[in-house]
Amino acid sequence: MRRKVAEVARLLGISDQTIYVWRRQHLIDTGQLPGTNSSDLSELAAARKRIAELEAELAVHRRAAELRNPRRKAVAAAQPTCLRRGANDDRLQPHQDGCPSPRRSW
């Protein structure tokens, strides 16, 4: 028994377009249409996620290296850069107002 797409979509509580997308992806996965199959799409999404994680980790390491050796950075500053917590989040942000001396012990 064949049903209309609109009827099946209504029964499932989804839009007609969703069924057409699923059908098209099925045709791609079975080789009937050209395109990227589902397994490749999931691998690609996982790779993009991992790249984003590695880029964030690299940024942390670069900042740590910069803080360990401030002369390594090409920017000449009269005062060392101090860090403080941001007003809206917990990330460290550079500031210049009232920076304590790096030699000062707390």
Side-chain angles (χ1 to χ4, degrees), residues 4-88:
K4 294 186 177 187
V5 171
E7 181 185 348
V8 174
R10 187 178 43 77
L11 288 172
L12 294 174
I14 57 176
S15 73
D16 298 4
Q17 189 61 37
T18 301
I19 292 179
Y20 287 114
V21 169
W22 289 348
R23 180 178 177 271
R24 183 175 187 279
Q25 190 61 52
H26 171 73
L27 293 173
I28 291 171
D29 290 346
T30 57
Q32 297 175 37
L33 279 178
T36 308
N37 65 32
S38 296
S39 63
D40 289 345
L41 288 174
S42 63
E43 287 178 25
L44 188 57
R48 286 182 176 145
K49 181 180 177 183
R50 182 66 178 142
I51 288 169
E53 291 169 354
L54 291 171
E55 286 175 342
E57 186 178 332
L58 180 61
V60 168
H61 286 287
R62 284 183 176 161
R63 182 65 180 146
E66 185 181 300
L67 291 173
R68 273 195 313 260
N69 190 359
R71 293 182 195 166
R72 200 168 160 196
K73 191 163 178 158
V75 177
Q79 295 180 348
T81 302
C82 297
L83 298 174
R84 65 180 171 140
R85 299 277 176 202
N88 297 330

